[in-house]
Amino acid sequence: MSRNKILTAILFIIGILFLYNRIFSSENVSGFLDEMREKEIKSSITGKYINHNNHNIPFLVYGNKDSIIIYKDWWDQIFIGDSIIKPKGSVEIRIKNSNRFEKFNYEDKFGLE
């Protein structure tokens, strides 16, 4: 293998590692959780959609077209018409209707205590 190919491969690997670190860094996780703590929600779910242009991220739409990111494994447990409650300062959303009550915690998804 020529020296240029080795150098190109090393630079490519370094670039991939850099991008991975930027996308999945603990700062991004911390920033997301901080943003979630600031939200207060007391509303009903008016829609659900998956943003195919942004890594297929699932969203819940509530109230007057506000939205919140959820995890894919929560998708089938939340329905249009359910009530959504998220107290300010918390990273837990509560979903309820007349038949059930569910709690979903964003920190659990990140493995944080």
Side-chain angles (χ1 to χ4, degrees), residues 33-43 62 68 83-95 104 106:
L33 292 176
D34 289 343
E35 184 180 317
M36 291 304 298
R37 280 187 185 89
E38 290 300 312
K39 289 183 185 260
E40 180 176 22
I41 304 169
K42 293 179 183 173
S43 190
Y62 62 91
I68 188 171
S83 295
I84 181 170
I85 300 165
K86 199 210 82 50
K88 188 171 184 167
S90 171
V91 291
E92 178 180 88
I93 61 172
R94 300 168 189 158
I95 305 294
F104 301 99
Y106 285 93

PDB file of all heavy atoms in Angstrom, residues 33-43 62 68 83-95 104 106:
ATOM      1  N   LEU A  33     -30.875  17.131  27.660  1.00  0.00           N
ATOM      2  CA  LEU A  33     -31.562  16.936  28.944  1.00  0.00           C
ATOM      3  C   LEU A  33     -31.841  18.274  29.626  1.00  0.00           C
ATOM      4  O   LEU A  33     -32.915  18.457  30.214  1.00  0.00           O
ATOM      5  CB  LEU A  33     -30.746  16.017  29.854  1.00  0.00           C
ATOM      6  CG  LEU A  33     -30.650  14.566  29.396  1.00  0.00           C
ATOM      7  CD1 LEU A  33     -29.736  13.782  30.334  1.00  0.00           C
ATOM      8  CD2 LEU A  33     -32.013  13.912  29.298  1.00  0.00           C
ATOM      9  N   ASP A  34     -30.915  19.210  29.533  1.00  0.00           N
ATOM     10  CA  ASP A  34     -31.150  20.546  30.103  1.00  0.00           C
ATOM     11  C   ASP A  34     -32.320  21.233  29.414  1.00  0.00           C
ATOM     12  O   ASP A  34     -33.152  21.863  30.062  1.00  0.00           O
ATOM     13  CB  ASP A  34     -29.898  21.412  29.990  1.00  0.00           C
ATOM     14  CG  ASP A  34     -28.780  20.971  30.916  1.00  0.00           C
ATOM     15  OD1 ASP A  34     -29.058  20.201  31.868  1.00  0.00           O
ATOM     16  OD2 ASP A  34     -27.626  21.378  30.678  1.00  0.00           O
ATOM     17  N   GLU A  35     -32.384  21.098  28.108  1.00  0.00           N
ATOM     18  CA  GLU A  35     -33.496  21.679  27.346  1.00  0.00           C
ATOM     19  C   GLU A  35     -34.824  21.040  27.759  1.00  0.00           C
ATOM     20  O   GLU A  35     -35.834  21.723  27.911  1.00  0.00           O
ATOM     21  CB  GLU A  35     -33.247  21.472  25.851  1.00  0.00           C
ATOM     22  CG  GLU A  35     -34.283  22.109  24.958  1.00  0.00           C
ATOM     23  CD  GLU A  35     -33.975  21.878  23.492  1.00  0.00           C
ATOM     24  OE1 GLU A  35     -32.804  22.001  23.092  1.00  0.00           O
ATOM     25  OE2 GLU A  35     -34.933  21.564  22.750  1.00  0.00           O
ATOM     26  N   MET A  36     -34.801  19.725  27.949  1.00  0.00           N
ATOM     27  CA  MET A  36     -36.022  19.030  28.375  1.00  0.00           C
ATOM     28  C   MET A  36     -36.459  19.486  29.763  1.00  0.00           C
ATOM     29  O   MET A  36     -37.650  19.628  30.025  1.00  0.00           O
ATOM     30  CB  MET A  36     -35.818  17.513  28.364  1.00  0.00           C
ATOM     31  CG  MET A  36     -35.663  16.914  26.992  1.00  0.00           C
ATOM     32  SD  MET A  36     -37.025  17.284  25.888  1.00  0.00           S
ATOM     33  CE  MET A  36     -38.361  16.507  26.759  1.00  0.00           C
ATOM     34  N   ARG A  37     -35.518  19.716  30.661  1.00  0.00           N
ATOM     35  CA  ARG A  37     -35.859  20.160  32.013  1.00  0.00           C
ATOM     36  C   ARG A  37     -36.581  21.505  32.001  1.00  0.00           C
ATOM     37  O   ARG A  37     -37.399  21.785  32.863  1.00  0.00           O
ATOM     38  CB  ARG A  37     -34.597  20.263  32.870  1.00  0.00           C
ATOM     39  CG  ARG A  37     -34.130  18.950  33.401  1.00  0.00           C
ATOM     40  CD  ARG A  37     -32.962  19.106  34.383  1.00  0.00           C
ATOM     41  NE  ARG A  37     -32.485  17.799  34.774  1.00  0.00           N
ATOM     42  CZ  ARG A  37     -31.549  17.117  34.132  1.00  0.00           C
ATOM     43  NH1 ARG A  37     -30.955  17.638  33.077  1.00  0.00           N
ATOM     44  NH2 ARG A  37     -31.189  15.919  34.544  1.00  0.00           N
ATOM     45  N   GLU A  38     -36.271  22.335  31.036  1.00  0.00           N
ATOM     46  CA  GLU A  38     -36.871  23.676  30.966  1.00  0.00           C
ATOM     47  C   GLU A  38     -38.317  23.660  30.473  1.00  0.00           C
ATOM     48  O   GLU A  38     -39.051  24.605  30.697  1.00  0.00           O
ATOM     49  CB  GLU A  38     -36.025  24.585  30.070  1.00  0.00           C
ATOM     50  CG  GLU A  38     -34.693  24.949  30.681  1.00  0.00           C
ATOM     51  CD  GLU A  38     -34.843  25.685  32.001  1.00  0.00           C
ATOM     52  OE1 GLU A  38     -35.634  26.634  32.077  1.00  0.00           O
ATOM     53  OE2 GLU A  38     -34.170  25.283  32.972  1.00  0.00           O
ATOM     54  N   LYS A  39     -38.715  22.605  29.794  1.00  0.00           N
ATOM     55  CA  LYS A  39     -40.075  22.541  29.241  1.00  0.00           C
ATOM     56  C   LYS A  39     -41.087  22.182  30.321  1.00  0.00           C
ATOM     57  O   LYS A  39     -40.827  21.354  31.180  1.00  0.00           O
ATOM     58  CB  LYS A  39     -40.169  21.492  28.133  1.00  0.00           C
ATOM     59  CG  LYS A  39     -39.464  21.860  26.872  1.00  0.00           C
ATOM     60  CD  LYS A  39     -39.685  20.785  25.820  1.00  0.00           C
ATOM     61  CE  LYS A  39     -38.892  21.067  24.593  1.00  0.00           C
ATOM     62  NZ  LYS A  39     -39.662  21.676  23.533  1.00  0.00           N
ATOM     63  N   GLU A  40     -42.245  22.805  30.218  1.00  0.00           N
ATOM     64  CA  GLU A  40     -43.397  22.402  31.026  1.00  0.00           C
ATOM     65  C   GLU A  40     -44.542  22.146  30.058  1.00  0.00           C
ATOM     66  O   GLU A  40     -44.850  22.995  29.225  1.00  0.00           O
ATOM     67  CB  GLU A  40     -43.787  23.488  32.024  1.00  0.00           C
ATOM     68  CG  GLU A  40     -44.980  23.096  32.866  1.00  0.00           C
ATOM     69  CD  GLU A  40     -45.318  24.138  33.922  1.00  0.00           C
ATOM     70  OE1 GLU A  40     -44.930  25.297  33.768  1.00  0.00           O
ATOM     71  OE2 GLU A  40     -45.988  23.748  34.878  1.00  0.00           O
ATOM     72  N   ILE A  41     -45.125  20.979  30.156  1.00  0.00           N
ATOM     73  CA  ILE A  41     -46.183  20.594  29.219  1.00  0.00           C
ATOM     74  C   ILE A  41     -47.381  20.086  29.998  1.00  0.00           C
ATOM     75  O   ILE A  41     -47.248  19.236  30.876  1.00  0.00           O
ATOM     76  CB  ILE A  41     -45.705  19.490  28.248  1.00  0.00           C
ATOM     77  CG1 ILE A  41     -44.457  19.932  27.489  1.00  0.00           C
ATOM     78  CG2 ILE A  41     -46.823  19.093  27.293  1.00  0.00           C
ATOM     79  CD1 ILE A  41     -43.785  18.815  26.717  1.00  0.00           C
ATOM     80  N   LYS A  42     -48.533  20.610  29.671  1.00  0.00           N
ATOM     81  CA  LYS A  42     -49.821  20.112  30.163  1.00  0.00           C
ATOM     82  C   LYS A  42     -50.770  20.264  28.989  1.00  0.00           C
ATOM     83  O   LYS A  42     -51.316  21.331  28.765  1.00  0.00           O
ATOM     84  CB  LYS A  42     -50.317  20.921  31.362  1.00  0.00           C
ATOM     85  CG  LYS A  42     -49.474  20.780  32.598  1.00  0.00           C
ATOM     86  CD  LYS A  42     -49.999  21.626  33.732  1.00  0.00           C
ATOM     87  CE  LYS A  42     -49.083  21.525  34.929  1.00  0.00           C
ATOM     88  NZ  LYS A  42     -49.471  22.449  35.995  1.00  0.00           N
ATOM     89  N   SER A  43     -50.929  19.196  28.242  1.00  0.00           N
ATOM     90  CA  SER A  43     -51.681  19.306  27.000  1.00  0.00           C
ATOM     91  C   SER A  43     -52.172  17.937  26.569  1.00  0.00           C
ATOM     92  O   SER A  43     -52.047  16.957  27.302  1.00  0.00           O
ATOM     93  CB  SER A  43     -50.774  19.915  25.922  1.00  0.00           C
ATOM     94  OG  SER A  43     -51.504  20.243  24.773  1.00  0.00           O
ATOM     95  N   TYR A  62     -48.221  18.420  20.301  1.00  0.00           N
ATOM     96  CA  TYR A  62     -49.189  18.677  21.367  1.00  0.00           C
ATOM     97  C   TYR A  62     -49.624  20.132  21.311  1.00  0.00           C
ATOM     98  O   TYR A  62     -48.932  20.984  20.760  1.00  0.00           O
ATOM     99  CB  TYR A  62     -48.609  18.327  22.744  1.00  0.00           C
ATOM    100  CG  TYR A  62     -47.399  19.137  23.124  1.00  0.00           C
ATOM    101  CD1 TYR A  62     -47.523  20.327  23.830  1.00  0.00           C
ATOM    102  CD2 TYR A  62     -46.125  18.722  22.775  1.00  0.00           C
ATOM    103  CE1 TYR A  62     -46.424  21.079  24.169  1.00  0.00           C
ATOM    104  CE2 TYR A  62     -45.021  19.461  23.118  1.00  0.00           C
ATOM    105  CZ  TYR A  62     -45.169  20.636  23.813  1.00  0.00           C
ATOM    106  OH  TYR A  62     -44.067  21.383  24.147  1.00  0.00           O
ATOM    107  N   ILE A  68     -42.328  17.581  20.708  1.00  0.00           N
ATOM    108  CA  ILE A  68     -41.311  17.063  21.598  1.00  0.00           C
ATOM    109  C   ILE A  68     -40.768  15.770  21.004  1.00  0.00           C
ATOM    110  O   ILE A  68     -41.523  14.970  20.443  1.00  0.00           O
ATOM    111  CB  ILE A  68     -41.886  16.848  23.019  1.00  0.00           C
ATOM    112  CG1 ILE A  68     -40.799  16.498  24.021  1.00  0.00           C
ATOM    113  CG2 ILE A  68     -42.970  15.807  23.019  1.00  0.00           C
ATOM    114  CD1 ILE A  68     -41.295  16.504  25.461  1.00  0.00           C
ATOM    115  N   SER A  83     -53.282  12.451  27.029  1.00  0.00           N
ATOM    116  CA  SER A  83     -52.792  13.640  27.722  1.00  0.00           C
ATOM    117  C   SER A  83     -51.297  13.483  27.946  1.00  0.00           C
ATOM    118  O   SER A  83     -50.811  12.385  28.208  1.00  0.00           O
ATOM    119  CB  SER A  83     -53.485  13.807  29.068  1.00  0.00           C
ATOM    120  OG  SER A  83     -54.853  14.054  28.880  1.00  0.00           O
ATOM    121  N   ILE A  84     -50.569  14.597  27.857  1.00  0.00           N
ATOM    122  CA  ILE A  84     -49.137  14.594  28.120  1.00  0.00           C
ATOM    123  C   ILE A  84     -48.850  15.638  29.193  1.00  0.00           C
ATOM    124  O   ILE A  84     -49.326  16.768  29.114  1.00  0.00           O
ATOM    125  CB  ILE A  84     -48.308  14.846  26.839  1.00  0.00           C
ATOM    126  CG1 ILE A  84     -46.809  14.815  27.147  1.00  0.00           C
ATOM    127  CG2 ILE A  84     -48.710  16.126  26.148  1.00  0.00           C
ATOM    128  CD1 ILE A  84     -45.906  14.824  25.922  1.00  0.00           C
ATOM    129  N   ILE A  85     -48.096  15.214  30.195  1.00  0.00           N
ATOM    130  CA  ILE A  85     -47.724  16.103  31.293  1.00  0.00           C
ATOM    131  C   ILE A  85     -46.220  15.972  31.500  1.00  0.00           C
ATOM    132  O   ILE A  85     -45.690  14.866  31.595  1.00  0.00           O
ATOM    133  CB  ILE A  85     -48.463  15.727  32.593  1.00  0.00           C
ATOM    134  CG1 ILE A  85     -49.961  15.822  32.377  1.00  0.00           C
ATOM    135  CG2 ILE A  85     -48.002  16.609  33.750  1.00  0.00           C
ATOM    136  CD1 ILE A  85     -50.776  15.146  33.466  1.00  0.00           C
ATOM    137  N   LYS A  86     -45.538  17.105  31.527  1.00  0.00           N
ATOM    138  CA  LYS A  86     -44.118  17.120  31.844  1.00  0.00           C
ATOM    139  C   LYS A  86     -43.854  18.333  32.726  1.00  0.00           C
ATOM    140  O   LYS A  86     -43.918  19.474  32.284  1.00  0.00           O
ATOM    141  CB  LYS A  86     -43.242  17.197  30.604  1.00  0.00           C
ATOM    142  CG  LYS A  86     -41.810  16.740  30.919  1.00  0.00           C
ATOM    143  CD  LYS A  86     -40.754  17.391  30.082  1.00  0.00           C
ATOM    144  CE  LYS A  86     -40.279  18.729  30.474  1.00  0.00           C
ATOM    145  NZ  LYS A  86     -39.869  19.016  31.824  1.00  0.00           N
ATOM    146  N   PRO A  87     -43.596  18.085  34.014  1.00  0.00           N
ATOM    147  CA  PRO A  87     -43.321  19.203  34.913  1.00  0.00           C
ATOM    148  C   PRO A  87     -41.982  19.867  34.591  1.00  0.00           C
ATOM    149  O   PRO A  87     -41.033  19.193  34.181  1.00  0.00           O
ATOM    150  CB  PRO A  87     -43.260  18.556  36.299  1.00  0.00           C
ATOM    151  CG  PRO A  87     -43.825  17.185  36.134  1.00  0.00           C
ATOM    152  CD  PRO A  87     -43.638  16.808  34.704  1.00  0.00           C
ATOM    153  N   LYS A  88     -41.912  21.172  34.764  1.00  0.00           N
ATOM    154  CA  LYS A  88     -40.657  21.887  34.588  1.00  0.00           C
ATOM    155  C   LYS A  88     -39.659  21.369  35.624  1.00  0.00           C
ATOM    156  O   LYS A  88     -40.011  21.102  36.764  1.00  0.00           O
ATOM    157  CB  LYS A  88     -40.861  23.391  34.761  1.00  0.00           C
ATOM    158  CG  LYS A  88     -39.647  24.189  34.410  1.00  0.00           C
ATOM    159  CD  LYS A  88     -39.936  25.661  34.369  1.00  0.00           C
ATOM    160  CE  LYS A  88     -38.680  26.391  33.909  1.00  0.00           C
ATOM    161  NZ  LYS A  88     -38.952  27.761  33.566  1.00  0.00           N
ATOM    162  N   GLY A  89     -38.422  21.182  35.205  1.00  0.00           N
ATOM    163  CA  GLY A  89     -37.382  20.673  36.088  1.00  0.00           C
ATOM    164  C   GLY A  89     -37.229  19.162  36.034  1.00  0.00           C
ATOM    165  O   GLY A  89     -36.304  18.607  36.595  1.00  0.00           O
ATOM    166  N   SER A  90     -38.119  18.499  35.346  1.00  0.00           N
ATOM    167  CA  SER A  90     -38.105  17.041  35.238  1.00  0.00           C
ATOM    168  C   SER A  90     -37.729  16.643  33.813  1.00  0.00           C
ATOM    169  O   SER A  90     -37.882  17.420  32.876  1.00  0.00           O
ATOM    170  CB  SER A  90     -39.495  16.496  35.574  1.00  0.00           C
ATOM    171  OG  SER A  90     -39.576  15.120  35.294  1.00  0.00           O
ATOM    172  N   VAL A  91     -37.235  15.419  33.658  1.00  0.00           N
ATOM    173  CA  VAL A  91     -36.998  14.856  32.324  1.00  0.00           C
ATOM    174  C   VAL A  91     -37.904  13.645  32.110  1.00  0.00           C
ATOM    175  O   VAL A  91     -37.598  12.757  31.336  1.00  0.00           O
ATOM    176  CB  VAL A  91     -35.512  14.501  32.085  1.00  0.00           C
ATOM    177  CG1 VAL A  91     -34.664  15.745  32.003  1.00  0.00           C
ATOM    178  CG2 VAL A  91     -35.007  13.534  33.129  1.00  0.00           C
ATOM    179  N   GLU A  92     -39.021  13.638  32.795  1.00  0.00           N
ATOM    180  CA  GLU A  92     -39.990  12.552  32.689  1.00  0.00           C
ATOM    181  C   GLU A  92     -41.279  13.096  32.092  1.00  0.00           C
ATOM    182  O   GLU A  92     -41.751  14.146  32.492  1.00  0.00           O
ATOM    183  CB  GLU A  92     -40.259  11.985  34.080  1.00  0.00           C
ATOM    184  CG  GLU A  92     -41.286  10.883  34.102  1.00  0.00           C
ATOM    185  CD  GLU A  92     -41.503  10.368  35.513  1.00  0.00           C
ATOM    186  OE1 GLU A  92     -42.352  10.933  36.214  1.00  0.00           O
ATOM    187  OE2 GLU A  92     -40.803   9.418  35.897  1.00  0.00           O
ATOM    188  N   ILE A  93     -41.796  12.371  31.096  1.00  0.00           N
ATOM    189  CA  ILE A  93     -43.127  12.720  30.590  1.00  0.00           C
ATOM    190  C   ILE A  93     -44.107  11.670  31.079  1.00  0.00           C
ATOM    191  O   ILE A  93     -43.764  10.497  31.234  1.00  0.00           O
ATOM    192  CB  ILE A  93     -43.173  12.862  29.046  1.00  0.00           C
ATOM    193  CG1 ILE A  93     -42.789  11.566  28.340  1.00  0.00           C
ATOM    194  CG2 ILE A  93     -42.325  14.011  28.577  1.00  0.00           C
ATOM    195  CD1 ILE A  93     -43.007  11.598  26.838  1.00  0.00           C
ATOM    196  N   ARG A  94     -45.305  12.130  31.337  1.00  0.00           N
ATOM    197  CA  ARG A  94     -46.381  11.247  31.781  1.00  0.00           C
ATOM    198  C   ARG A  94     -47.466  11.283  30.717  1.00  0.00           C
ATOM    199  O   ARG A  94     -47.909  12.341  30.308  1.00  0.00           O
ATOM    200  CB  ARG A  94     -46.922  11.709  33.120  1.00  0.00           C
ATOM    201  CG  ARG A  94     -45.854  11.706  34.181  1.00  0.00           C
ATOM    202  CD  ARG A  94     -46.287  12.411  35.417  1.00  0.00           C
ATOM    203  NE  ARG A  94     -45.126  12.543  36.298  1.00  0.00           N
ATOM    204  CZ  ARG A  94     -45.043  13.436  37.243  1.00  0.00           C
ATOM    205  NH1 ARG A  94     -46.027  14.282  37.463  1.00  0.00           N
ATOM    206  NH2 ARG A  94     -43.956  13.498  37.988  1.00  0.00           N
ATOM    207  N   ILE A  95     -47.863  10.104  30.311  1.00  0.00           N
ATOM    208  CA  ILE A  95     -48.887   9.963  29.280  1.00  0.00           C
ATOM    209  C   ILE A  95     -50.065   9.250  29.924  1.00  0.00           C
ATOM    210  O   ILE A  95     -49.896   8.201  30.544  1.00  0.00           O
ATOM    211  CB  ILE A  95     -48.370   9.148  28.076  1.00  0.00           C
ATOM    212  CG1 ILE A  95     -47.089   9.756  27.498  1.00  0.00           C
ATOM    213  CG2 ILE A  95     -49.447   8.983  27.020  1.00  0.00           C
ATOM    214  CD1 ILE A  95     -47.249  11.111  26.858  1.00  0.00           C
ATOM    215  N   PHE A 104     -42.409   7.964  31.068  1.00  0.00           N
ATOM    216  CA  PHE A 104     -41.238   7.776  30.217  1.00  0.00           C
ATOM    217  C   PHE A 104     -40.173   8.760  30.664  1.00  0.00           C
ATOM    218  O   PHE A 104     -40.420   9.951  30.732  1.00  0.00           O
ATOM    219  CB  PHE A 104     -41.583   8.014  28.745  1.00  0.00           C
ATOM    220  CG  PHE A 104     -42.660   7.109  28.233  1.00  0.00           C
ATOM    221  CD1 PHE A 104     -43.983   7.547  28.147  1.00  0.00           C
ATOM    222  CD2 PHE A 104     -42.361   5.825  27.822  1.00  0.00           C
ATOM    223  CE1 PHE A 104     -44.975   6.719  27.672  1.00  0.00           C
ATOM    224  CE2 PHE A 104     -43.355   4.983  27.342  1.00  0.00           C
ATOM    225  CZ  PHE A 104     -44.662   5.437  27.266  1.00  0.00           C
ATOM    226  N   TYR A 106     -36.432  10.396  30.086  1.00  0.00           N
ATOM    227  CA  TYR A 106     -35.362  10.604  29.114  1.00  0.00           C
ATOM    228  C   TYR A 106     -34.000  10.202  29.670  1.00  0.00           C
ATOM    229  O   TYR A 106     -33.155   9.726  28.926  1.00  0.00           O
ATOM    230  CB  TYR A 106     -35.332  12.070  28.659  1.00  0.00           C
ATOM    231  CG  TYR A 106     -36.450  12.403  27.719  1.00  0.00           C
ATOM    232  CD1 TYR A 106     -37.644  12.928  28.185  1.00  0.00           C
ATOM    233  CD2 TYR A 106     -36.314  12.186  26.359  1.00  0.00           C
ATOM    234  CE1 TYR A 106     -38.683  13.224  27.320  1.00  0.00           C
ATOM    235  CE2 TYR A 106     -37.338  12.483  25.478  1.00  0.00           C
ATOM    236  CZ  TYR A 106     -38.526  13.003  25.968  1.00  0.00           C
ATOM    237  OH  TYR A 106     -39.544  13.289  25.096  1.00  0.00           O
TER     238      TYR A 106
END
